[in-house]
């Protein structure tokens, strides 16, 4: 974190300062900000936030022992460390992050980019970071730090030298993205898609649209909204913002687009066309044509922020995977390819992954889809799992292996389609799925492992990748 005095931090979080030992209100703090006591280093700030199953205050003694210079707490603790007592530790974390970003922005050339969407946030964030790093110091989230804790933690990493801050914004309810937007005040807001991911949490698709629209409604006239013109629900958000609109997509009248797409098991080649009229061929080694849309979104934002076409193309061509456990290509032994895409799953991403599997399978060899539950779909779960089962049959996937009771309807749907005889199998556990794949796979086969994170199939994907490496 940038250096701030204890007084400045106290004012930012609207708390009450309790000095310890020789500390003075004017003392400067510039250590990292952590919510995990195990990450505390001498000079760090520890935020004692409540957790799902525990309370951060219980770990404050560990933070003190590890050298924390300041504790942000909801109640005074009997520890020899300076403390700021606040009404809500998570709100205080966000307020501190907002104050830091505002101060860095006012003092320099910091530009903030925010990304949201039902699918593709992390991939787009990673691509954008790679592009912006070619121009200047860039801060972006580690992994999927995209909630009311993760986003502020990323914001607090900016320094006086930071030129670009990329923030991934997720939401489990209406108002969550609006809150993060108010904290970060992005100069560029990107909306990738609106789908059924987390539909069970939002309640219905209309609520999802409203939640994702929060990315653009508070933008200023001087800001830019980067919108997916191929998604009608995203395209209509242009009417909700005073910001300048930059549209990306593969169809219709768009500013940034791709043409001449050709997908294979080594990635996708296409021609990138920017809003300024320049174009160039791209060899994009991230598997799956659906990731081209994420590349277009990142390119659109990067062009707005002054990144040149050669740097945009270089960043795209240097990227070999979307992220760990996201369309990650493993294996290779006996020409067996394993695609581990089991970090998350929605109906849209599941469909895209299956279409990619069907597209890249070696002619004359089998395609095998190991599928687990798509979580957080609420009352839509049954029909959406049915739909994926039917899609697998219609794409002529050679073998479907459904894992876990939450996904069992996919197996039933493939059987009811009536096209197969034994090509769909159901097992209860990842271990059973591993043994079934191991005993049946043939040289040249392509295996997809796809599920929501909660199903745990990403580790199955790793095991299969190791088996065929």
């Amino acid at each position: 974190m940038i250096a701030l005095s204890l007084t400045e931090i106290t004012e930012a979080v609207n708390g009450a300062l309790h000095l310890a030992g020789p500390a003075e209100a004017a003392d400067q703090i510039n250590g990292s900000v952590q919510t995990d006591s195990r990450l505390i280093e001498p000079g760090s700030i520890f935020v004692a936030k409540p957790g799902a199953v525990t309370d951060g205050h219980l770990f404050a003694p560990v933070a003190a022992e590890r050298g924390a210079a300041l504790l942000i707490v909801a109640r005074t603790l009997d520890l020899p460390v300076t403390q700021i007592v606040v009404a809500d530790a998570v709100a205080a974390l966000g307020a501190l992050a907002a104050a830091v970003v505002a101060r860095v922005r006012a003092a320099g050339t910091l530009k903030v980019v925010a990304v949201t969407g039902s699918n593709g946030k992390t991939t787009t964030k990673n691509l954008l970071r790679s592009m912006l790093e070619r121009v200047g110091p860039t801060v972006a989230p580690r992994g999927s730090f995209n909630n009311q804790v993760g986003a502020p933690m990323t914001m607090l990493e900016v320094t006086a030298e930071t030129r670009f801050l990329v923030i991934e914004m997720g939401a489990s309810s209406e108002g969550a993205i609006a809150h993060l937007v108010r904290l970060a005040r992005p100069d560029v807001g990107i909306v990738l898609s609106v789908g059924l991911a987390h539909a069970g949490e939002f309640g219905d698709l209309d609520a999802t649209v409203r939640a994702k629209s929060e990315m653009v409604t508070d933008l200023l006239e001087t800001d830019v909204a980067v919108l997916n013109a191929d998604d009608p629900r995203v395209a209509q958000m242009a009417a909700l913002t005073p910001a300048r609109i930059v549209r990306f997509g593969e169809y219709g009248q768009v500013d940034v687009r791709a043409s001449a797409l050709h997908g294979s098991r080594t990635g996708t080649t296409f021609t990138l066309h920017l809003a300024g009229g320049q174009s160039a061929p791209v060899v994009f080694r991230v598997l799956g044509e659906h990731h081209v849309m994420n590349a277009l979104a990142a390119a659109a934002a990067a062009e707005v922020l002054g990144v040149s076409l050669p740097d945009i193309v270089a960043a795209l061509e240097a990227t070999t995977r979307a992220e760990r456990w996201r369309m990650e290509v493993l294996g290779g032994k006996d020409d067996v390819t394993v695609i581990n895409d089991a970090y998350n799953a929605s109906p849209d991403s599941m469909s895209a992954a299956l279409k990619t599997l069907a597209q890249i399978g070696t002619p004359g060899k089998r395609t095998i889809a190991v599928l687990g539950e798509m979580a957080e779909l609420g009352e839509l779960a049954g029909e959406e799992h049915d739909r994926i089962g039917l899609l697998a049959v219609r794409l002529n996937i050679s073998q479907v292996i459904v894992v876990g009771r939450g996904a069992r309807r996919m197996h039933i749907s493939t059987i009811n389609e009536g096209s197969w005889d034994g090509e769909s199998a159901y097992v209860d556990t990842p271990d059973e799925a591993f043994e079934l794949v191991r005993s049946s796979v043939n040289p040249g086969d392509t295996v997809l492992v796809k599920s929501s994170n909660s199903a745990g199939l990403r580790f199955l994907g790793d095991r299969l990748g190791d088996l065929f490496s």
Side-chain angles (χ1 to χ4, degrees):
M1 189 186 76
I2 63 172
L4 294 175
S5 71
L6 287 169
T7 296
E8 290 169 328
I9 296 172
T10 303
E11 291 175 350
V13 301
N14 192 29
L17 178 62
H18 296 262
L19 297 172
E24 298 181 2
D27 287 352
Q28 298 278 304
I29 305 292
N30 64 355
S32 66
V33 181
Q34 304 292 349
T35 60
D36 186 336
S37 61
R38 295 168 296 183
L39 302 178
I40 292 293
E41 298 174 342
S44 294
I45 299 173
F46 177 66
V47 181
K49 73 175 186 68
V53 296
T54 188
D55 181 353
H57 293 80
L58 299 176
F59 301 93
V62 175
E65 290 174 3
R66 294 180 65 89
L70 173 65
L71 307 179
I72 296 179
V73 294
R75 59 182 183 274
T76 306
L77 301 177
D78 185 17
L79 293 170
V81 183
T82 294
Q83 301 169 39
I84 298 176
V85 179
V86 297
D88 183 321
V90 173
L93 178 67
L96 180 59
V100 166
V101 170
R103 181 169 295 215
V104 174
R105 191 201 300 268
T109 58
L110 178 67
K111 294 292 185 181
V112 179
V113 190
V115 184
T116 195
S118 296
N119 298 288
K121 294 185 294 296
T122 300
T123 302
T124 302
K125 173 261 298 182
N126 289 341
L127 293 172
L128 189 52
R129 172 174 52 196
S130 181
M131 295 171 187
L132 297 175
E133 284 177 338
R134 295 171 183 270
V135 176
T138 301
V139 170
R142 301 180 299 275
S144 296
F145 274 30
N146 61 23
N147 61 14
Q148 60 180 338
V149 174
M153 292 289 287
T154 299
M155 294 164 62
L156 286 163
E157 293 182 16
V158 301
T159 68
E161 290 73 37
T162 303
R163 184 166 175 187
F164 301 107
L165 169 63
V166 183
I167 305 174
E168 183 179 332
M169 294 185 178
S172 58
S173 62
E174 292 186 62
I177 292 175
H179 171 69
L180 295 178
V181 167
R182 287 192 294 270
L183 296 181
R185 292 297 175 191
D187 302 281
V188 180
I190 304 171
V191 185
L192 300 169
S193 62
V194 173
L196 291 175
H198 312 297
E201 295 181 345
F202 283 108
D204 57 37
L205 195 54
D206 289 341
T208 306
V209 173
R210 291 193 298 270
K212 300 303 180 184
S213 297
E214 293 168 10
M215 174 61 76
V216 302
T217 51
D218 283 347
L219 295 179
L220 306 177
E221 291 182 2
T222 53
D223 298 331
V224 177
V226 176
L227 303 179
N228 180 355
D230 291 356
D231 185 325
R233 299 183 184 94
V234 176
Q236 69 184 10
M237 295 179 191
L240 305 178
T241 179
R244 177 166 68 91
I245 306 299
V246 174
R247 296 173 173 85
F248 67 93
E250 297 179 26
Y251 311 104
Q253 298 297 313
V254 295
D255 302 294
V256 176
R257 63 186 178 92
S259 66
L261 276 72
H262 176 71
S264 70
R265 64 195 305 160
T266 60
T268 306
T269 59
F270 64 95
T271 299
L272 171 65
H273 304 266
L274 294 182
Q278 295 177 297
S279 63
V282 177
V283 178
F284 190 40
R285 291 184 290 167
V286 175
L287 186 63
E289 286 189 12
H290 56 289
H291 282 303
V292 172
M293 291 299 288
N294 301 326
L296 294 180
E303 183 184 22
V304 167
L305 295 168
V307 183
S308 68
L309 176 62
D311 280 340
I312 290 172
V313 172
L316 290 175
E317 295 193 334
T319 304
T320 58
R321 69 179 186 186
E323 176 77 9
R324 181 82 167 98
W325 298 312
R326 291 175 171 90
M327 297 302 285
E328 184 176 14
V329 180
L330 306 170
K333 179 182 177 183
D334 296 330
D335 198 30
V336 174
T337 298
V338 177
I339 306 166
N340 193 354
D341 192 27
Y343 187 81
N344 53 33
S346 67
D348 290 337
S349 68
M350 186 75 83
S351 297
L354 285 172
K355 290 174 182 176
T356 298
L357 175 64
Q359 179 185 48
I360 68 171
T362 302
K365 303 298 181 179
R366 296 191 309 154
T367 51
I368 302 170
V370 184
L371 307 178
E373 181 182 10
M374 299 180 290
E376 301 176 350
L377 293 178
E379 63 183 18
L380 299 173
E383 63 187 79
E384 290 302 324
H385 283 85
D386 288 343
R387 188 172 66 84
I388 294 301
L390 297 178
L391 177 64
V393 175
R394 292 165 185 171
L395 289 173
N396 201 30
I397 303 301
S398 308
Q399 172 80 64
V400 172
I401 300 172
V402 176
V403 187
R405 292 189 178 278
R408 194 168 186 274
R409 280 186 61 161
M410 280 193 280
H411 171 61
I412 301 301
S413 296
T414 61
I415 294 173
N416 290 342
E417 182 71 357
S419 300
W420 293 349
D421 181 15
E423 283 86 354
S424 180
Y426 170 78
V427 295
D428 284 313
T429 68
D431 287 342
E432 293 174 273
F434 177 83
E435 291 301 326
L436 186 53
V437 174
R438 184 186 62 79
S439 63
S440 62
V441 73
N442 297 317
D445 287 352
T446 304
V447 182
L448 167 71
V449 181
K450 178 69 174 173
S451 73
S452 286
N453 193 9
S454 59
L457 296 197
R458 62 194 186 281
F459 304 117
L460 169 63
D462 286 342
R463 289 179 67 191
L464 291 171
D466 291 341
L467 179 64
F468 298 110
S469 64

